[in-house]
Amino acid sequence: MADERNFLAALAAEGRPLLVQPLPATPRTLRSTLDEALASPRAPADIWAARQWFNAMEPALARHVKDPGMRQALLRRVYHEATLAGLPPELVLALIQVESAFQAEAVSSAGAVGLMQIMPFWIRELGLPADDLKDPWRNLRYGCTILAHYLAVEDGDVTRALARYNGSLGKTWYPERVMRAWQRHWRPAEPRATVQR
């Protein structure tokens, strides 16, 4: 990191424009939190819950994503990003179904991009100029972050948060579409009670 800073300082001294800025050093307090999170093993119950969710969602996603490898990778990433943002992963799947029909290359007439149809202005707000919103994993990170932000702004009101996400605050047609997709396609089946004879 010091060599990188010295190199960039030398370029700046020569009067060359810097197109890339170095990232600031990670604060010590955050570094220890990150290290602890990475070092702590996942609880067996969390691993089991993730596997159960994956097994329940995989058949439903097969209708939309034919390639098994891509389908499995997408499910893992949706689960990871949604959980990281504190969102129900099934809600994220429903939103993707409504927004892009699982087409990573989708671009709307308004300019929204990718799986979760992210508007390019969000790069200035959340990311780096080099971020490619058509990259499905980057798109999921943006989309989950944005939806979690709107849920916080709306004090957990999913309808209003979804309307904000779509840019249609005050209208219910979009939240209703997402909630309908969530109910019909992405709710895990409830275990059936067995009758003992």
Side-chain angles (χ1 to χ4, degrees), residues 60-66 74 92-107 113-117 174 177 181 186:
L61 187 58
R63 291 189 303 250
H64 303 282
V65 180
K66 302 300 182 204
L74 180 59
V92 174
L93 288 169
L95 189 143
I96 294 169
Q97 179 183 344
V98 169
E99 286 287 348
S100 69
F102 295 93
Q103 301 301 310
E105 300 289 321
V107 179
V113 178
L115 288 173
M116 295 185 77
Q117 291 291 279
Y174 177 80
R177 283 184 67 196
W186 306 109

Side-chain angles (χ1 to χ4, degrees), residues 163-174:
R164 278 188 183 273
Y165 187 93
N166 176 256
S168 59
L169 188 60
K171 299 177 182 165
T172 61
W173 64 268
Y174 177 80

Side-chain angles (χ1 to χ4, degrees), residues 152-192:
V153 166
E154 293 297 342
D155 294 322
D157 185 324
V158 176
T159 300
R160 288 183 58 84
L162 286 170
R164 278 188 183 273
Y165 187 93
N166 176 256
S168 59
L169 188 60
K171 299 177 182 165
T172 61
W173 64 268
Y174 177 80
E176 287 170 1
R177 283 184 67 196
V178 174
M179 298 303 277
R180 199 167 31 252
W182 187 8
Q183 290 291 329
R184 289 182 183 166
H185 305 291
W186 306 109
R187 291 282 180 153
E190 297 292 325
R192 292 184 181 175

Side-chain angles (χ1 to χ4, degrees):
M1 184 74 118
D3 291 339
E4 183 179 305
R5 289 190 188 280
N6 292 337
F7 174 73
L8 292 172
L11 286 177
E14 292 176 14
R16 294 184 187 181
L18 295 178
L19 300 176
V20 176
Q21 298 294 322
L23 293 174
T26 305
R28 281 192 315 238
T29 54
L30 180 56
R31 182 76 257 161
S32 63
T33 302
L34 290 171
D35 290 341
E36 285 175 26
L38 292 172
S40 63
R42 289 177 61 198
D46 293 340
I47 294 169
W48 182 85
R51 286 185 183 151
Q52 293 297 91
W53 180 86
F54 183 89
N55 290 336
M57 295 299 111
E58 204 270 339
L61 187 58
R63 291 189 303 250
H64 303 282
V65 180
K66 302 300 182 204
D67 178 76
M70 182 61 187
R71 185 169 59 243
Q72 292 169 7
L74 180 59
L75 281 172
R76 282 189 201 95
R77 194 57 179 238
V78 165
Y79 190 85
H80 172 77
E81 295 296 342
T83 303
L84 190 63
L87 301 171
E90 308 85 32
L91 175 60
V92 174
L93 288 169
L95 189 143
I96 294 169
Q97 179 183 344
V98 169
E99 286 287 348
S100 69
F102 295 93
Q103 301 301 310
E105 300 289 321
V107 179
S108 76
S109 59
V113 178
L115 288 173
M116 295 185 77
Q117 291 291 279
I118 309 302
M119 291 298 287
F121 75 81
W122 280 105
I123 291 175
R124 285 191 314 275
E125 301 294 323
L126 297 175
L128 300 171
D131 283 349
D132 179 6
L133 294 176
K134 287 186 180 176
D135 175 300
W137 305 159
R138 178 64 56 198
N139 194 280
L140 285 170
R141 172 68 52 94
Y142 272 83
C144 289
T145 301
I146 294 163
L147 184 56
H149 165 70
Y150 286 144
L151 272 168
V153 166
E154 293 297 342
D155 294 322
D157 185 324
V158 176
T159 300
R160 288 183 58 84
L162 286 170
R164 278 188 183 273
Y165 187 93
N166 176 256
S168 59
L169 188 60
K171 299 177 182 165
T172 61
W173 64 268
Y174 177 80
E176 287 170 1
R177 283 184 67 196
V178 174
M179 298 303 277
R180 199 167 31 252
W182 187 8
Q183 290 291 329
R184 289 182 183 166
H185 305 291
W186 306 109
R187 291 282 180 153
E190 297 292 325
R192 292 184 181 175
T194 56
V195 178
Q196 300 216 358
R197 297 180 190 234

